[in-house]
Amino acid sequence: MQPGRARSARVDDLDEPDGGDLLVQTLDIGICGTDLEIVSGRYGWAPPGGERLVLGHESLGRVLDAPAGSDIQAGDLVVGIVRRPDPVPCPNCAVGEWDMCRNGRYTEHGIKELDGFARERYRIDPAFAVRVDASLEHFGVLLEPTSVVAKAWEQVERIGARAHWEPQRVLVTGAGPIGLLAALLAVQRGLETHVVDLATTGPKPDAVGALGAMYHTGSVADACAGADVVIECTGVGQLVFDVMASVAPGGVVCLTGVSSGGRTLSVDAGALNREMVLENEVVVGSVNANRRHYEAAAECLRRADAGWLERLITRRARLERFADALERRPDDIKTVIEFPK
Ligand code: BGC
């Protein structure tokens, strides 16, 4: 795919991979909103000196070859970590917190200046591969999006711990993969969980119901006014302001949606400021994940009901039909590209 050039994605022959000590065979690649942005030419950067970027940042692979004495062995299932520390490195990247990179010079497989995992085989440094339990099988492809929400929840809880913290109610905006996984982690924490989305039919309401959470299609205020935690997963400007206005005193709003700009809203900034100050509210942005979050996410997926996870993967396309996977259909939650096994 040529970043910046819409619909330039194609299957191509590449050289045998070089690089890290682990040789991995790709099994599945998950497609998310970021991939669709890249495919439409609005996001993504090729590796320096080239024009082409291999797609794929949500992956599941099987190790074909591993160095002797490594924790990871041939046959293990692994997921590649998306982000790499910046070359300086900034103080955060220097301590493995590349998800909090301070200078923006991080790189990301399949997104920013590093080829992705949508290759039959790739090589990776074991420090950037996460082993997943064999019992997770093909659900391992959900590890990367789950790592993103594991980080979001960690941020919320760290902020909550600034004072007495006993959250009861959670609102998740958006019932796509990130929203549903954020709701899974809320339910796993024993919290009363509400999810609001536009869809009135299709698999989303059922997926939320099967989790034991409540599904809403109305306004944020109707869905759950006064939530202690809001995980905003749409990036829709109006919703961002709606949840800021509706969160409970002392509550935390975590923004995870990467919006495209260009829409102007009119907001009573003074009233919003007054409420946030007088009620000690916090709005925090959260992106990406470091190794700690991948490991937490692996544990959340291991504890989740396999039947429920299966509901999230609504469409699978074989590699030769990759173009089908790169278009969004109304009832899609997560689409996966299957590689030849
Ligand atoms: C990926 C993150 C990445 C972000 C911004 C998301 O889709 O899941 O790993 O940091 O896009 O590029």
Side-chain angles (χ1 to χ4, degrees), residues 167-209:
Q168 311 278 324
R169 300 206 302 160
V170 178
L171 173 64
V172 174
T173 48
I178 293 290
L180 290 170
L181 290 167
L184 168 71
L185 270 60
V187 169
Q188 287 183 339
R189 284 163 166 76
L191 301 171
E192 178 189 314
T193 306
H194 299 260
V195 179
V196 64
D197 191 277
L198 293 174
T200 51
T201 56
K204 292 177 177 180
D206 290 347
V208 171

Side-chain angles (χ1 to χ4, degrees), residues 32 34 43 57 82-83 108 111 144 148 287-288:
C32 81
T34 302
Y43 196 61
H57 63 278
V82 173
R83 196 176 276 198
E108 291 181 339
I111 301 176
E144 197 277 341
V148 167
V287 71
N288 195 254

Side-chain angles (χ1 to χ4, degrees), residues 17-24 65-67 84 109 119 122-129:
D18 54 13
D21 279 347
L22 290 183
L23 177 64
V24 181
D65 191 25
R84 291 301 177 93
H109 283 286
R119 296 175 264 175
Y122 64 87
R123 284 195 166 271
I124 192 164
D125 178 339
F128 291 94

Side-chain angles (χ1 to χ4, degrees), residues 227-246:
D228 303 300
V229 176
V230 179
I231 312 280
E232 205 298 305
C233 305
T234 69
V236 173
Q238 184 63 56
L239 277 183
V240 169
F241 283 105
D242 288 350
V243 294
M244 283 163 68
S246 80

